[in-house]
Amino acid sequence: APLTLLSVPVGPLQVTSSLLRKVEDFSPEILCALGQAAVGLSVSSIQNSISEQDLEAALPALGKVRGWSAEQSSAIVDKLLRSGYQLRDGQSLAQLGSLVGGLNSSTVWSLSPEVVLEAIKVPEFAQ
């Protein structure tokens, strides 16, 4: 059952989001330990409180999280690409996992067919 704060029902995601706003250091270890709860990260936290290096280090775990909003996945992917993360092969594309929805259309169209074909052979990515 949802928690009630100030007579307003609050779901688990809202509670998680509130708690995550209080975290100041999102190291790769913390990001990985969050697991599915990482979906509670605010776009502001992604943009301002997590370094590009920490995002990339935590990418294997973040790519397994389900339920990212379009804004969250775009913020993460944009930050990764701006920091130099390259989609040079199917493995680097597949590593995005559930974050692949954050790729903008121009980036998707710039991928070679070989990269996409290699990525879809990775079972976790194909799901």
Side-chain angles (χ1 to χ4, degrees), residues 10 14 16 18 25 36 56 64 86 95:
V10 178
Q14 291 165 308
T16 302
S18 293
D25 175 32
Q36 185 59 39
E56 189 168 348
K64 292 178 183 168
Q86 295 182 5
Q95 193 171 13

Side-chain angles (χ1 to χ4, degrees), residues 73-94:
S73 59
S74 289
I76 293 170
V77 170
D78 289 348
K79 196 165 191 172
L80 285 168
L81 294 175
R82 279 195 315 272
S83 73
Y85 186 80
Q86 295 182 5
L87 300 170
R88 62 189 170 282
D89 56 26
Q91 199 59 40
S92 57
L93 177 60

Side-chain angles (χ1 to χ4, degrees), residues 1-16:
L3 211 55
T4 303
L5 298 175
L6 304 174
S7 302
V8 178
V10 178
L13 182 56
Q14 291 165 308
V15 172
T16 302

Side-chain angles (χ1 to χ4, degrees), residues 8-72:
V8 178
V10 178
L13 182 56
Q14 291 165 308
V15 172
T16 302
S17 294
S18 293
L19 293 171
L20 288 176
R21 277 190 216 105
K22 299 184 184 322
V23 177
E24 293 178 14
D25 175 32
F26 286 101
S27 67
E29 295 78 19
I30 289 174
L31 290 169
C32 291
L34 286 173
Q36 185 59 39
V39 80
L41 289 167
S42 70
V43 171
S44 175
S45 291
I46 293 166
Q47 293 172 334
N48 303 314
S49 301
I50 306 172
S51 75
E52 292 86 352
Q53 296 82 7
D54 290 346
L55 274 179
E56 189 168 348
L59 188 55
L62 296 175
K64 292 178 183 168
V65 172
R66 299 284 175 228
W68 293 113
S69 72
E71 294 81 13
Q72 288 170 309

